[in-house]
Amino acid sequence: MSHINVTINGRQYRMACEEGQEVRLLKLAESLESRVGELRGKFGEIGDARLTVMAALTVCDELLDANARVRALESELETLRNVRVAAADRAKATQIAVANALNAAADRIEKTTQIINRTIGTGIAIG
């Protein structure tokens, strides 16, 4: 377990975190400190606790919006996957139909060729 010092609203806090998470925790603290500073600039000195709570609520608001956006994008992605699967199924069915039509045409051409060859071979005039 690591320990680092972070500054939020001008106060130092000693925080524990897992090994390797120190930089992330510092960035999170910097982000919160920045939000507190923005709110202080906007509303003036309204009390440390109130500024911190307002900053936390701002972060929570953004998180809720981000989560809603993620859910919407996941839903859209699932819809697109379903459309892609349906399109692939239609394409496969079309390929099979085209192949069957070409095979049927080849069979008709082969039969026609056989008839023509027999007709020519027996000397019967066509036309």
Side-chain angles (χ1 to χ4, degrees), residues 4-97:
I4 60 169
N5 291 322
V6 299
T7 303
I8 299 173
N9 199 19
R11 293 187 181 187
Q12 288 270 328
Y13 296 93
R14 183 165 169 80
M15 306 292 292
C17 63
E18 292 181 18
E19 294 292 330
Q21 294 298 311
E22 298 87 357
V23 172
R24 181 168 175 80
L25 183 55
L26 285 170
K27 286 182 180 180
L28 292 170
E30 287 172 9
S31 176
L32 185 57
E33 174 66 16
S34 173
R35 290 170 191 275
V36 168
E38 288 173 14
L39 290 170
R40 183 181 295 112
K42 195 184 257 186
F43 297 108
E45 289 298 327
I46 58 172
D48 293 345
R50 190 169 185 184
L51 277 172
T52 304
V53 168
M54 289 173 66
L57 289 173
T58 301
V59 170
C60 288
D61 183 50
E62 290 176 9
L63 180 61
L64 286 174
D65 288 347
N67 284 335
R69 181 76 178 130
V70 166
R71 283 191 300 276
L73 289 171
E74 286 172 342
S75 176
E76 184 178 338
L77 179 61
E78 183 63 26
T79 299
L80 291 172
R81 283 181 178 148
N82 291 338
V83 167
R84 181 182 53 95
V85 167
D89 289 345
R90 282 192 307 274
K92 187 174 183 177
T94 300
Q95 287 176 337
I96 290 170

XYZ file of all heavy atoms in Angstrom, residues 4-97:
720
model
N 0.397 8.876 -0.408
C 0.802 10.121 -1.060
C 0.051 11.272 -0.403
O -0.973 11.074 0.251
C 0.517 10.108 -2.583
C -0.968 9.925 -2.858
C 1.336 9.048 -3.275
C -1.340 10.157 -4.303
N 0.575 12.451 -0.587
C -0.086 13.658 -0.096
C -0.739 14.367 -1.278
O -0.121 14.536 -2.322
C 0.916 14.599 0.576
C 1.424 14.028 1.881
O 0.683 13.414 2.631
N 2.702 14.205 2.131
N -2.010 14.741 -1.089
C -2.728 15.504 -2.110
C -3.217 16.792 -1.468
O -3.405 16.871 -0.250
C -3.919 14.711 -2.705
C -3.430 13.451 -3.375
C -4.958 14.392 -1.652
N -3.413 17.799 -2.316
C -3.914 19.086 -1.833
C -5.272 19.334 -2.465
O -5.412 19.314 -3.693
C -2.952 20.231 -2.215
O -1.668 19.929 -1.675
C -3.440 21.562 -1.676
N -6.248 19.531 -1.616
C -7.597 19.848 -2.078
C -8.084 21.036 -1.271
O -8.060 21.005 -0.029
C -8.562 18.643 -1.920
C -8.054 17.471 -2.760
C -9.987 19.037 -2.289
C -8.802 16.195 -2.564
N -8.477 22.081 -1.986
C -8.962 23.315 -1.371
C -7.928 23.880 -0.402
O -8.256 24.346 0.683
C -10.311 23.075 -0.689
C -11.060 24.356 -0.435
O -10.789 25.382 -1.044
N -12.011 24.302 0.482
N -6.671 23.790 -0.813
C -5.602 24.379 -0.015
C -5.172 23.555 1.181
O -4.305 23.962 1.938
N -5.749 22.397 1.368
C -5.405 21.557 2.520
C -4.731 20.274 2.046
O -5.104 19.706 1.031
C -6.653 21.197 3.316
C -7.257 22.386 3.976
C -8.368 21.963 4.872
N -8.938 23.159 5.481
C -9.843 23.116 6.414
N -10.289 21.970 6.850
N -10.315 24.232 6.915
N -3.751 19.861 2.838
C -3.027 18.636 2.534
C -3.746 17.440 3.167
O -4.195 17.518 4.315
C -1.607 18.708 3.117
C -0.693 19.657 2.404
C 0.052 18.960 1.278
O 0.362 17.793 1.358
N 0.317 19.701 0.223
N -3.823 16.353 2.389
C -4.412 15.106 2.885
C -3.459 13.971 2.543
O -2.968 13.879 1.420
C -5.771 14.843 2.234
C -6.813 15.879 2.560
C -7.011 16.976 1.716
C -7.595 15.770 3.701
C -7.967 17.932 2.008
C -8.558 16.724 3.992
C -8.740 17.802 3.136
O -9.691 18.747 3.425
N -3.209 13.109 3.503
C -2.398 11.925 3.260
C -3.359 10.811 2.868
O -4.286 10.476 3.608
C -1.612 11.549 4.513
C -0.686 10.372 4.305
C 0.329 10.300 5.455
N 1.078 9.077 5.450
C 2.126 8.832 4.659
N 2.527 9.764 3.819
N 2.776 7.689 4.726
N -3.128 10.252 1.679
C -4.044 9.263 1.131
C -3.311 7.944 0.898
O -2.150 7.945 0.491
C -4.622 9.746 -0.204
C -5.277 11.121 -0.165
S -6.783 11.176 0.799
C -7.854 10.198 -0.183
N -4.003 6.857 1.123
C -3.466 5.534 0.826
C -4.049 5.078 -0.512
O -5.193 5.380 -0.851
C -3.841 4.546 1.923
N -3.225 4.369 -1.264
C -3.703 3.815 -2.531
C -2.896 2.566 -2.847
O -1.854 2.309 -2.239
C -3.595 4.838 -3.659
S -1.906 5.350 -4.026
N -3.372 1.790 -3.788
C -2.661 0.591 -4.201
C -1.388 0.983 -4.939
O -1.315 2.060 -5.535
C -3.555 -0.255 -5.112
C -4.746 -0.852 -4.395
C -5.592 -1.705 -5.328
O -5.102 -2.109 -6.401
O -6.751 -1.960 -4.965
N -0.412 0.102 -4.887
C 0.835 0.322 -5.611
C 0.529 0.568 -7.084
O -0.304 -0.116 -7.672
C 1.759 -0.898 -5.481
C 2.276 -1.158 -4.079
C 3.251 -0.097 -3.600
O 3.968 0.500 -4.426
O 3.281 0.130 -2.375
N 1.174 1.574 -7.654
C 0.987 1.877 -9.069
C -0.154 2.836 -9.352
O -0.340 3.257 -10.487
N -0.950 3.173 -8.347
C -2.096 4.062 -8.541
C -1.815 5.495 -8.080
O -2.707 6.344 -8.088
C -3.318 3.508 -7.805
C -3.830 2.205 -8.366
C -4.291 2.359 -9.797
O -5.034 3.265 -10.135
N -3.827 1.467 -10.664
N -0.584 5.764 -7.700
C -0.239 7.072 -7.154
C -0.499 8.208 -8.151
O -1.109 9.228 -7.795
C 1.242 7.104 -6.727
C 1.601 6.120 -5.636
C 1.974 4.728 -6.158
O 1.907 4.486 -7.383
O 2.334 3.883 -5.328
N -0.064 8.027 -9.376
C -0.225 9.080 -10.385
C -1.700 9.336 -10.653
O -2.141 10.486 -10.753
C 0.521 8.710 -11.689
C 0.205 9.693 -12.800
C 2.026 8.653 -11.439
N -2.476 8.268 -10.723
C -3.917 8.437 -10.958
C -4.571 9.209 -9.803
O -5.371 10.112 -10.026
C -4.586 7.083 -11.146
C -6.079 7.193 -11.408
C -6.651 5.874 -11.880
N -8.079 5.901 -12.024
C -8.734 6.406 -13.052
N -8.060 6.925 -14.055
N -10.042 6.380 -13.104
N -4.224 8.853 -8.586
C -4.798 9.548 -7.434
C -4.395 11.019 -7.427
O -5.211 11.905 -7.132
C -4.379 8.862 -6.131
C -4.971 9.440 -4.842
C -6.498 9.482 -4.896
C -4.500 8.617 -3.650
N -3.152 11.303 -7.785
C -2.718 12.695 -7.876
C -3.512 13.457 -8.934
O -3.921 14.603 -8.713
C -1.220 12.779 -8.185
C -0.283 12.454 -7.030
C 1.154 12.334 -7.522
C -0.399 13.499 -5.926
N -3.756 12.830 -10.071
C -4.537 13.483 -11.134
C -5.975 13.717 -10.686
O -6.564 14.757 -10.991
C -4.497 12.647 -12.410
C -3.174 12.714 -13.119
C -3.191 11.925 -14.403
C -1.835 12.014 -15.085
N -1.790 11.259 -16.330
N -6.554 12.748 -9.983
C -7.914 12.924 -9.470
C -7.972 14.095 -8.486
O -8.894 14.921 -8.550
C -8.401 11.636 -8.796
C -8.640 10.444 -9.714
C -8.889 9.187 -8.896
C -9.804 10.706 -10.659
N -6.991 14.163 -7.605
C -6.951 15.259 -6.634
C -6.763 16.593 -7.347
O -7.401 17.594 -6.978
C -5.820 15.016 -5.619
N -5.915 16.628 -8.372
C -5.720 17.865 -9.142
C -7.013 18.295 -9.820
O -7.340 19.482 -9.859
C -4.621 17.668 -10.177
C -3.229 17.603 -9.606
C -2.188 17.217 -10.647
O -2.506 17.152 -11.856
O -1.038 16.967 -10.241
N -7.752 17.327 -10.337
C -9.025 17.642 -10.993
C -10.016 18.222 -9.988
O -10.683 19.228 -10.264
C -9.598 16.380 -11.642
O -10.863 16.638 -12.197
N -10.105 17.599 -8.819
C -11.014 18.109 -7.792
C -10.567 19.494 -7.320
O -11.394 20.399 -7.158
C -11.097 17.132 -6.614
C -12.097 17.499 -5.526
C -13.510 17.645 -6.087
C -12.061 16.462 -4.409
N -9.280 19.675 -7.137
C -8.747 20.983 -6.732
C -9.088 22.048 -7.775
O -9.463 23.167 -7.439
C -7.232 20.895 -6.520
C -6.560 22.215 -6.228
C -6.967 22.856 -4.909
O -7.540 22.175 -4.037
O -6.700 24.062 -4.754
N -8.976 21.690 -9.037
C -9.308 22.613 -10.119
C -10.780 22.996 -10.071
O -11.144 24.164 -10.232
C -8.964 21.965 -11.459
O -9.413 22.756 -12.522
N -11.639 22.031 -9.815
C -13.078 22.312 -9.729
C -13.385 23.224 -8.539
O -14.202 24.140 -8.643
C -13.871 21.018 -9.636
C -13.852 20.235 -10.927
C -14.437 18.850 -10.714
N -14.192 18.017 -11.863
C -14.941 17.973 -12.950
N -16.013 18.751 -13.031
N -14.645 17.168 -13.942
N -12.736 22.951 -7.431
C -12.941 23.800 -6.250
C -12.495 25.223 -6.576
O -13.191 26.199 -6.240
C -12.181 23.229 -5.020
C -12.142 24.249 -3.884
C -12.820 21.930 -4.556
N -11.366 25.349 -7.251
C -10.876 26.676 -7.630
C -11.843 27.397 -8.555
O -12.082 28.599 -8.400
N -12.404 26.671 -9.527
C -13.387 27.269 -10.442
C -14.604 27.757 -9.678
O -15.113 28.859 -9.926
C -13.803 26.252 -11.498
C -12.750 25.939 -12.530
C -13.150 24.800 -13.458
O -14.339 24.413 -13.486
O -12.261 24.279 -14.150
N -15.091 26.930 -8.763
C -16.272 27.311 -7.980
C -15.961 28.502 -7.063
O -16.795 29.395 -6.903
C -16.776 26.121 -7.163
C -17.407 24.999 -7.986
C -17.640 23.766 -7.118
C -18.718 25.456 -8.615
N -14.760 28.525 -6.483
C -14.362 29.645 -5.627
C -14.341 30.927 -6.463
O -14.809 31.978 -6.012
C -12.992 29.399 -5.000
C -12.597 30.534 -4.050
C -11.217 30.353 -3.407
N -11.175 29.210 -2.524
C -10.460 28.104 -2.761
N -9.726 27.994 -3.840
N -10.476 27.105 -1.916
N -13.835 30.823 -7.692
C -13.801 31.987 -8.566
C -15.197 32.449 -8.952
O -15.454 33.635 -9.131
N -16.098 31.516 -9.079
C -17.469 31.832 -9.493
C -18.319 32.363 -8.335
O -19.088 33.309 -8.497
C -18.112 30.562 -10.063
C -19.378 30.772 -10.850
C -19.956 29.433 -11.279
C -19.669 29.178 -12.729
N -20.340 27.956 -13.221
N -18.184 31.742 -7.146
C -19.066 32.071 -6.029
C -18.366 32.798 -4.886
O -19.020 33.194 -3.913
C -19.715 30.793 -5.473
C -20.591 30.096 -6.469
C -20.191 28.902 -7.052
C -21.811 30.632 -6.840
C -20.980 28.258 -7.975
C -22.613 29.995 -7.763
C -22.203 28.801 -8.338
N -17.053 32.920 -4.957
C -16.322 33.566 -3.860
C -16.126 32.598 -2.709
O -16.304 31.394 -2.832
N -15.777 33.141 -1.572
C -15.557 32.310 -0.382
C -16.900 31.984 0.255
O -17.532 32.852 0.873
C -14.637 33.040 0.615
C -13.202 33.156 0.179
C -12.513 31.804 0.012
O -12.823 30.840 0.756
O -11.653 31.705 -0.883
N -17.319 30.773 0.089
C -18.607 30.342 0.654
C -18.411 29.224 1.671
O -19.359 28.557 2.046
C -19.589 29.903 -0.449
C -19.016 28.776 -1.288
C -19.994 31.085 -1.301
C -19.998 28.175 -2.273
N -17.199 28.997 2.065
C -16.920 27.945 3.043
C -16.261 26.751 2.391
O -16.658 26.328 1.300
N -15.254 26.231 3.069
C -14.480 25.120 2.529
C -15.339 23.880 2.271
O -15.278 23.273 1.211
C -13.337 24.756 3.473
C -12.287 25.844 3.552
O -12.291 26.740 2.685
O -11.462 25.783 4.469
N -16.128 23.530 3.262
C -16.937 22.318 3.135
C -17.943 22.457 1.992
O -18.128 21.528 1.190
C -17.652 22.013 4.442
N -18.552 23.616 1.919
C -19.551 23.839 0.875
C -18.903 23.797 -0.516
O -19.461 23.205 -1.446
C -20.245 25.169 1.094
C -21.435 25.351 0.216
C -22.243 26.541 0.659
N -23.445 26.605 -0.141
C -24.323 27.558 -0.066
N -24.156 28.540 0.803
N -25.378 27.563 -0.824
N -17.749 24.411 -0.668
C -17.034 24.366 -1.948
C -16.703 22.926 -2.339
O -16.869 22.518 -3.492
C -15.745 25.194 -1.883
C -15.876 26.683 -2.117
C -14.550 27.378 -1.826
C -16.323 26.977 -3.532
N -16.226 22.160 -1.373
C -15.863 20.767 -1.647
C -17.097 19.952 -2.030
O -17.060 19.160 -2.980
C -15.154 20.155 -0.421
O -14.028 20.958 -0.086
C -14.691 18.746 -0.705
N -18.190 20.166 -1.319
C -19.435 19.448 -1.638
C -19.926 19.847 -3.032
O -20.324 18.986 -3.832
C -20.518 19.704 -0.569
C -21.881 19.213 -1.031
C -20.129 19.025 0.743
N -19.880 21.122 -3.350
C -20.318 21.581 -4.674
C -19.446 20.971 -5.777
O -19.954 20.545 -6.818
C -20.305 23.107 -4.742
C -21.402 23.754 -3.925
S -21.259 25.552 -3.847
C -21.550 26.013 -5.546
N -18.146 20.910 -5.541
C -17.246 20.310 -6.521
C -17.561 18.821 -6.687
O -17.594 18.304 -7.814
C -15.796 20.508 -6.098
N -17.794 18.148 -5.570
C -18.127 16.718 -5.639
C -19.450 16.502 -6.378
O -19.577 15.574 -7.185
C -18.194 16.131 -4.231
N -20.426 17.361 -6.132
C -21.710 17.240 -6.828
C -21.545 17.493 -8.335
O -22.186 16.833 -9.154
C -22.737 18.206 -6.232
C -23.246 17.837 -4.836
C -24.122 18.953 -4.282
C -23.996 16.515 -4.862
N -20.678 18.431 -8.679
C -20.396 18.695 -10.093
C -19.804 17.456 -10.761
O -20.201 17.066 -11.859
C -19.425 19.885 -10.237
O -20.010 21.028 -9.623
C -19.124 20.193 -11.681
N -18.859 16.823 -10.074
C -18.246 15.597 -10.602
C -19.296 14.504 -10.736
O -19.352 13.806 -11.759
C -17.085 15.137 -9.691
C -16.600 13.757 -10.089
C -15.945 16.143 -9.740
N -20.138 14.341 -9.726
C -21.194 13.317 -9.771
C -22.172 13.581 -10.915
O -22.606 12.639 -11.590
C -21.942 13.249 -8.440
S -20.956 12.515 -7.121
N -22.493 14.838 -11.137
C -23.388 15.203 -12.235
C -22.782 14.798 -13.575
O -23.450 14.188 -14.412
C -23.671 16.703 -12.196
C -24.646 17.134 -13.266
O -25.718 16.508 -13.399
O -24.334 18.111 -13.988
N -21.511 15.117 -13.750
C -20.831 14.741 -14.993
C -20.750 13.222 -15.134
O -20.908 12.678 -16.236
C -19.428 15.347 -15.037
C -19.442 16.842 -15.219
C -18.057 17.456 -15.174
O -17.054 16.701 -15.172
O -17.972 18.694 -15.145
N -20.520 12.525 -14.032
C -20.448 11.071 -14.064
C -21.794 10.463 -14.457
O -21.843 9.536 -15.281
C -20.005 10.537 -12.703
C -19.884 9.021 -12.578
C -18.857 8.482 -13.559
C -19.515 8.640 -11.149
N -22.875 10.984 -13.902
C -24.210 10.486 -14.270
C -24.480 10.708 -15.759
O -24.990 9.823 -16.448
C -25.290 11.156 -13.426
C -25.395 10.696 -11.972
C -26.418 11.544 -11.220
C -25.755 9.226 -11.891
N -24.130 11.907 -16.253
C -24.306 12.185 -17.680
C -23.456 11.251 -18.535
O -23.914 10.733 -19.552
C -23.948 13.640 -17.999
C -24.970 14.635 -17.476
O -26.074 14.214 -17.086
O -24.643 15.840 -17.449
N -22.217 11.025 -18.115
C -21.318 10.141 -18.868
C -21.843 8.711 -18.867
O -21.813 8.029 -19.898
C -19.910 10.190 -18.285
N -22.342 8.252 -17.716
C -22.900 6.896 -17.645
C -24.126 6.751 -18.536
O -24.303 5.726 -19.204
C -23.243 6.526 -16.200
C -22.023 6.191 -15.392
O -20.997 5.779 -15.923
N -22.113 6.361 -14.078
N -24.968 7.778 -18.563
C -26.148 7.735 -19.439
C -25.709 7.680 -20.901
O -26.278 6.941 -21.709
C -27.050 8.945 -19.186
N -24.700 8.450 -21.238
C -24.176 8.461 -22.618
C -23.571 7.107 -22.969
O -23.778 6.599 -24.075
C -23.134 9.576 -22.761
C -22.541 9.694 -24.126
C -23.502 10.346 -25.101
N -22.841 10.479 -26.386
C -23.371 10.083 -27.523
N -24.581 9.587 -27.556
N -22.709 10.216 -28.643
N -22.856 6.506 -22.032
C -22.277 5.180 -22.268
C -23.390 4.158 -22.510
O -23.310 3.341 -23.440
C -21.371 4.744 -21.089
C -21.044 3.265 -21.154
C -20.099 5.571 -21.074
N -24.438 4.191 -21.688
C -25.558 3.253 -21.879
C -26.214 3.463 -23.242
O -26.552 2.502 -23.935
C -26.580 3.407 -20.750
C -26.140 2.750 -19.454
C -27.270 2.678 -18.418
N -27.781 3.989 -18.052
C -27.243 4.787 -17.139
N -26.187 4.397 -16.474
N -27.776 5.960 -16.871
N -26.398 4.726 -23.634
C -26.996 5.006 -24.943
C -26.103 4.491 -26.061
O -26.586 3.889 -27.039
C -27.245 6.511 -25.104
N -24.786 4.693 -25.935
C -23.856 4.214 -26.960
C -23.800 2.689 -26.998
O -23.703 2.090 -28.075
C -22.456 4.796 -26.727
C -22.330 6.289 -27.010
C -20.974 6.803 -26.526
C -22.529 6.587 -28.485
N -23.880 2.053 -25.834
C -23.908 0.590 -25.800
C -25.158 0.060 -26.493
O -25.102 -0.919 -27.234
C -23.840 0.080 -24.360
C -22.470 0.207 -23.737
C -22.444 -0.128 -22.252
O -23.522 -0.125 -21.608
O -21.337 -0.381 -21.739
N -26.282 0.721 -26.258
C -27.527 0.324 -26.912
C -27.426 0.514 -28.421
O -27.843 -0.349 -29.207
C -28.698 1.143 -26.350
O -29.887 0.838 -27.028
N -26.875 1.651 -28.825
C -26.689 1.920 -30.257
C -25.750 0.898 -30.881
O -25.996 0.412 -31.984
C -26.133 3.333 -30.440
C -25.988 3.756 -31.882
C -25.469 5.183 -32.014
O -25.608 5.978 -31.060
O -24.911 5.491 -33.082
N -24.694 0.549 -30.160
C -23.743 -0.448 -30.655
C -24.428 -1.803 -30.830
O -24.211 -2.484 -31.838
C -22.551 -0.570 -29.689
C -21.489 -1.590 -30.044
C -20.859 -1.263 -31.395
C -20.433 -1.650 -28.953
N -25.251 -2.197 -29.879
C -25.973 -3.466 -29.978
C -26.912 -3.452 -31.184
O -26.999 -4.434 -31.927
C -26.760 -3.730 -28.688
C -27.470 -5.061 -28.671
C -26.538 -6.256 -28.742
O -25.368 -6.149 -28.328
O -26.981 -7.307 -29.238
N -27.594 -2.323 -31.390
C -28.473 -2.197 -32.555
C -27.672 -2.325 -33.845
O -28.074 -3.042 -34.776
C -29.212 -0.844 -32.524
O -30.009 -0.790 -31.341
C -30.091 -0.657 -33.739
N -26.533 -1.653 -33.909
C -25.689 -1.727 -35.104
C -25.158 -3.139 -35.332
O -25.067 -3.597 -36.474
C -24.533 -0.734 -35.010
C -24.937 0.741 -35.091
C -23.748 1.634 -34.781
C -25.530 1.072 -36.449
N -24.817 -3.828 -34.247
C -24.371 -5.229 -34.384
C -25.491 -6.082 -34.954
O -25.251 -6.922 -35.829
C -23.923 -5.779 -33.037
C -22.570 -5.295 -32.611
C -22.164 -5.898 -31.288
N -20.839 -5.459 -30.912
C -20.434 -5.285 -29.674
N -21.257 -5.536 -28.670
N -19.215 -4.871 -29.416
N -26.704 -5.884 -34.462
C -27.847 -6.654 -34.965
C -28.108 -6.358 -36.439
O -28.403 -7.259 -37.219
C -29.099 -6.366 -34.135
C -28.993 -6.918 -32.730
O -28.221 -7.827 -32.462
N -29.756 -6.362 -31.813
N -27.985 -5.081 -36.819
C -28.171 -4.695 -38.222
C -27.095 -5.343 -39.086
O -27.365 -5.852 -40.170
C -28.154 -3.155 -38.372
C -28.016 -2.728 -39.816
C -29.403 -2.549 -37.749
N -25.858 -5.343 -38.579
C -24.744 -5.952 -39.328
C -24.978 -7.444 -39.517
O -24.783 -7.978 -40.610
C -23.422 -5.722 -38.592
C -22.221 -6.292 -39.320
C -20.938 -6.081 -38.545
N -20.999 -6.570 -37.187
C -20.584 -7.776 -36.794
N -20.052 -8.600 -37.659
N -20.682 -8.138 -35.545
N -25.443 -8.127 -38.476
C -25.708 -9.566 -38.579
C -26.824 -9.812 -39.590
O -26.722 -10.713 -40.434
C -26.069 -10.162 -37.193
C -26.649 -11.552 -37.319
C -24.838 -10.170 -36.298
N -27.878 -9.005 -39.527
C -28.991 -9.166 -40.478
C -28.518 -8.904 -41.902
O -28.887 -9.626 -42.834
C -30.141 -8.220 -40.111
N -27.687 -7.882 -42.091
C -27.166 -7.580 -43.433
C -26.283 -8.715 -43.933
O -26.340 -9.096 -45.109
C -26.388 -6.268 -43.419
N -25.470 -9.277 -43.048
C -24.612 -10.400 -43.440
C -25.462 -11.609 -43.821
O -25.157 -12.307 -44.809
C -23.647 -10.753 -42.310
N -26.527 -11.850 -43.074
C -27.432 -12.967 -43.393
C -28.106 -12.744 -44.746
O -28.225 -13.674 -45.554
C -28.495 -13.136 -42.303
C -27.925 -13.674 -40.999
O -26.776 -14.177 -41.007
O -28.624 -13.575 -39.971
N -28.542 -11.493 -45.008
C -29.163 -11.186 -46.300
C -28.158 -11.344 -47.437
O -28.484 -11.866 -48.507
C -29.746 -9.774 -46.303
C -31.076 -9.658 -45.576
C -31.770 -8.330 -45.852
N -30.943 -7.165 -45.587
C -30.813 -6.579 -44.402
N -31.450 -7.068 -43.358
N -30.054 -5.515 -44.263
N -26.926 -10.895 -47.208
C -25.892 -11.010 -48.231
C -25.613 -12.479 -48.536
O -25.466 -12.865 -49.704
C -24.615 -10.306 -47.784
N -25.556 -13.309 -47.498
C -25.318 -14.743 -47.704
C -26.472 -15.363 -48.476
O -26.248 -16.155 -49.402
C -25.130 -15.442 -46.361
C -24.722 -16.889 -46.489
C -24.398 -17.499 -45.151
C -23.933 -18.927 -45.341
N -23.533 -19.539 -44.082
N -27.702 -15.001 -48.116
C -28.871 -15.533 -48.825
C -28.849 -15.080 -50.288
O -29.177 -15.865 -51.198
C -30.157 -15.072 -48.145
N -28.449 -13.833 -50.524
C -28.355 -13.320 -51.896
C -27.288 -14.072 -52.675
O -27.502 -14.442 -53.836
C -28.048 -11.806 -51.884
O -29.105 -11.134 -51.193
C -27.919 -11.250 -53.282
N -26.146 -14.325 -52.059
C -25.076 -15.079 -52.719
C -25.547 -16.482 -53.092
O -25.268 -16.966 -54.193
C -23.840 -15.186 -51.813
C -23.063 -13.907 -51.688
C -21.906 -14.038 -50.693
O -21.915 -14.896 -49.814
N -20.918 -13.176 -50.843
N -26.262 -17.112 -52.183
C -26.776 -18.459 -52.455
C -27.774 -18.414 -53.605
O -27.733 -19.252 -54.518
C -27.402 -19.067 -51.183
C -26.295 -19.377 -50.176
C -28.205 -20.317 -51.511
C -26.799 -19.753 -48.791
N -28.669 -17.420 -53.596
C -29.659 -17.293 -54.665
C -28.984 -17.043 -56.006
O -29.368 -17.634 -57.029
C -30.651 -16.171 -54.340
